[in-house]
Amino acid sequence: MGKKLEGNGIWESSRMILPEHREAYLRLMKEQGRRGKPTLDDQEMQQIEQAIVVSYNERKPITLRVFNPFDDEELCGLVTVINTSRREVKLSRGEEDFSWIKLEEIIEADI
């Protein structure tokens, strides 16, 4: 018993961590890596919207960079639907592979 209290024995004998504490710690570490969404001016938004319209009208492939709080995603494909009421575009990457992307989440568009 005396050996546990000598040196670093107190800490050596208490290495148990509860699963809830581990999950909370990992969640905290993940939240610290979060970053804010960049603000785009009107000219940048117009360029993005123009590239989307060109891709839709001329059936040209487009590369969209979509905001993610931890790491931006680059999606390549063809704009097949523009929903103006919901402010979304449908980006098709194949016959059955597509995704709906909100216009406010797009931070860059290249044709």
Side-chain angles (χ1 to χ4, degrees):
M1 187 84 166
K3 193 168 200 162
K4 286 186 179 179
L5 299 177
E6 292 175 5
N8 201 15
I10 294 173
W11 303 111
E12 290 295 324
S13 64
S14 63
R15 288 196 180 193
M16 187 178 77
I17 186 167
L18 295 174
E20 301 88 36
H21 293 167
R22 181 179 183 276
E23 291 171 13
Y25 176 75
L26 292 175
R27 205 171 29 251
L28 176 67
M29 290 292 108
K30 187 175 181 183
E31 286 297 318
Q32 286 180 347
R34 183 181 293 267
R35 53 193 180 103
K37 183 179 177 194
T39 55
L40 303 176
D41 62 4
D42 291 337
Q43 185 177 6
E44 289 173 321
M45 281 305 297
Q46 286 176 353
Q47 289 175 347
I48 291 171
E49 291 171 359
Q50 183 179 10
I52 290 171
V53 169
V54 167
S55 173
Y56 177 73
N57 288 336
E58 299 178 11
R59 297 289 186 214
K60 288 187 176 181
I62 190 171
T63 303
L64 300 175
R65 181 171 295 161
V66 181
F67 173 74
N68 185 316
F70 302 104
D71 190 24
D72 294 338
E73 299 176 62
E74 276 199 13
L75 303 173
C76 299
L78 196 66
V79 176
T80 55
V81 177
I82 299 175
N83 189 335
T84 56
S85 62
R86 291 177 34 192
R87 296 199 41 85
E88 292 181 331
V89 295
K90 182 178 180 181
L91 187 71
S92 297
R93 294 181 293 270
E95 282 189 35
E96 297 293 322
D97 187 19
F98 66 89
S99 49
W100 285 95
I101 304 166
K102 294 192 176 292
L103 286 177
E104 52 268 2
E105 296 295 319
I106 300 172
I107 56 175
E108 188 178 327
D110 295 319
I111 294 182

